[in-house]
Amino acid sequence: MQAARQIRFTNIREIVRMEKILKAYIYEAIEVERAGLKVNYKKTTEFTIPEEFKKKLDKNRALKTAFEGLTPGRQRAYLFYFSQAKQSKTRESRVEKYVKQILNGKGLDD
């Protein structure tokens, strides 16, 4: 989520059409690896907890415990997904939809 390293295709024609661009990306990736450059990822604590989710965590001790028990990557995925919604109503809906999954110790895409 913080540094995509993939390109998805749905058919061979897309690959053929993008051949020059893909080769440039590959050569650039090789140079990045040779230079030893690394991506500085945000830590879980640097992500803002949306107010709608924070209220839910404050009201539901089991949810808070379950969320804290998730791996940092799973926590980041939820926080990122909840935060992406522009409207509060949408954030609330997303939080509600995933409460059960968090309580079951599952990640966003598990």
Side-chain angles (χ1 to χ4, degrees), residues 83-96:
S83 297
Q84 291 306 300
K86 294 178 182 169
Q87 295 183 9
S88 178
K89 183 178 178 182
T90 307
R91 287 189 296 272
E92 286 177 14
S93 172
R94 288 182 178 188
V95 169
E96 280 301 319

Side-chain angles (χ1 to χ4, degrees), residues 11-98:
N11 60 56
I12 299 278
R13 282 179 263 129
E14 289 180 30
I15 298 170
V16 173
R17 192 176 327 121
M18 295 179 64
E19 181 180 0
K20 289 181 183 178
I21 295 169
L22 294 172
K23 283 184 179 180
Y25 286 161
I26 291 168
Y27 291 130
E28 184 179 344
I30 291 169
E31 290 305 314
V32 166
E33 283 295 316
R34 284 186 180 151
L37 301 176
K38 300 290 180 197
V39 175
N40 293 323
Y41 296 106
K42 286 171 68 176
K43 295 187 183 333
T44 304
T45 56
E46 295 177 58
F47 279 84
T48 303
I49 299 176
E51 190 61 34
E52 297 80 4
F53 187 49
K54 187 169 177 11
K55 287 179 184 176
K56 199 72 153 171
L57 291 173
D58 291 342
K59 288 181 182 177
N60 187 336
R61 190 97 170 126
L63 178 63
K64 184 174 183 173
T65 302
F67 183 74
E68 290 171 351
L70 294 174
T71 62
R74 287 184 170 129
Q75 290 178 9
R76 284 191 301 272
Y78 279 119
L79 294 176
F80 183 76
Y81 178 68
F82 296 157
S83 297
Q84 291 306 300
K86 294 178 182 169
Q87 295 183 9
S88 178
K89 183 178 178 182
T90 307
R91 287 189 296 272
E92 286 177 14
S93 172
R94 288 182 178 188
V95 169
E96 280 301 319
K97 181 178 177 183
Y98 285 97

